[in-house]
Amino acid sequence: MEEKSISDIIEKYLKSILEDDEKVEIRRSEIADHFDVVPSQINYVIKTRFTLQNGYLVQSKRGGGGYIRIERVNLIDDVDVLDMLISTIGDSISENDAVTIIQTLYAEKVITHREGDLMLVALSKDTLAFSDRRVADQVRARILISLLNRLRFES
């Protein structure tokens, strides 16, 4: 039987809450107490599993009345979210991060399976076989941003 890590369990729990609402506010310490983990474990899950590339917008407020707000967003219908995603990509993106974005676009039914496959091929390390990985990551970012900008105009 496959064992799940505590991070997987916390992620599943938070996603189950998000099934009922597209937005949820949590207190990091309460979730940490619930799973008997340190609060930094909750931070780790949120920073790695609830990213804009994965279709989530995260906001936090520190202090006694602080909270973490996680919101499921539609990547293409909301131009501001698309702009933030492009800003997140910046001048360079790894193949793994590009794949995550494409998988999210497919999961959100923004692109078809075929379109996703074509995007993956265009952004793969085999296609962008530069001797310098930094150059490949920069070219990958330019291509992905161009593709995302083109999606903005799809109906």
Side-chain angles (χ1 to χ4, degrees):
M1 183 168 177
E2 179 184 328
E3 281 191 45
K4 289 194 173 201
S5 72
I6 188 66
S7 294
D8 292 337
I9 294 167
I10 294 167
E11 175 188 16
K12 184 176 180 180
Y13 173 77
L14 293 174
K15 284 183 176 178
S16 72
I17 294 172
L18 284 163
E19 285 178 3
D20 298 332
D21 272 324
E22 288 190 5
K23 184 189 308 183
V24 64
E25 286 186 11
I26 61 168
R27 299 210 187 285
R28 183 178 67 143
S29 60
E30 290 175 7
I31 302 295
D33 289 345
H34 178 76
F35 288 101
D36 195 28
V37 297
V38 294
S40 62
Q41 180 73 41
I42 306 305
N43 283 350
Y44 170 79
V45 171
I46 291 170
K47 286 183 188 230
T48 60
R49 315 281 176 100
F50 293 89
T51 63
L52 190 56
Q53 292 95 324
N54 289 323
Y56 297 94
L57 185 61
V58 177
Q59 299 171 315
S60 62
K61 179 181 178 257
R62 296 200 178 268
Y67 60 84
I68 298 173
R69 179 181 298 139
I70 305 170
E71 183 176 356
R72 184 95 174 114
V73 293
N74 186 321
L75 294 178
I76 299 303
D77 287 348
D78 188 337
V79 174
D80 292 336
V81 173
L82 185 58
D83 289 341
M84 286 190 317
L85 183 58
I86 289 170
S87 176
T88 300
I89 293 168
D91 296 332
S92 177
I93 189 168
S94 70
E95 183 178 18
N96 286 343
D97 287 344
V99 167
T100 299
I101 290 171
I102 293 166
Q103 288 172 334
T104 302
L105 292 170
Y106 175 71
E108 293 293 321
K109 297 181 176 33
V110 173
I111 59 174
T112 66
H113 188 268
R114 179 175 167 78
E115 291 166 336
D117 283 346
L118 292 171
M119 291 171 78
L120 290 172
V121 168
L123 300 171
S124 76
K125 65 181 174 195
D126 293 333
T127 302
L128 303 175
F130 294 96
S131 57
D132 186 342
R133 193 185 90 232
R134 291 176 302 175
V135 172
D137 289 350
Q138 290 170 345
V139 171
R140 183 177 295 110
R142 289 181 192 165
I143 294 169
L144 184 55
I145 288 170
S146 294
L147 292 167
L148 292 173
N149 278 323
R150 179 63 182 101
L151 286 174
R152 182 189 311 252
F153 303 109
E154 288 293 313
S155 57

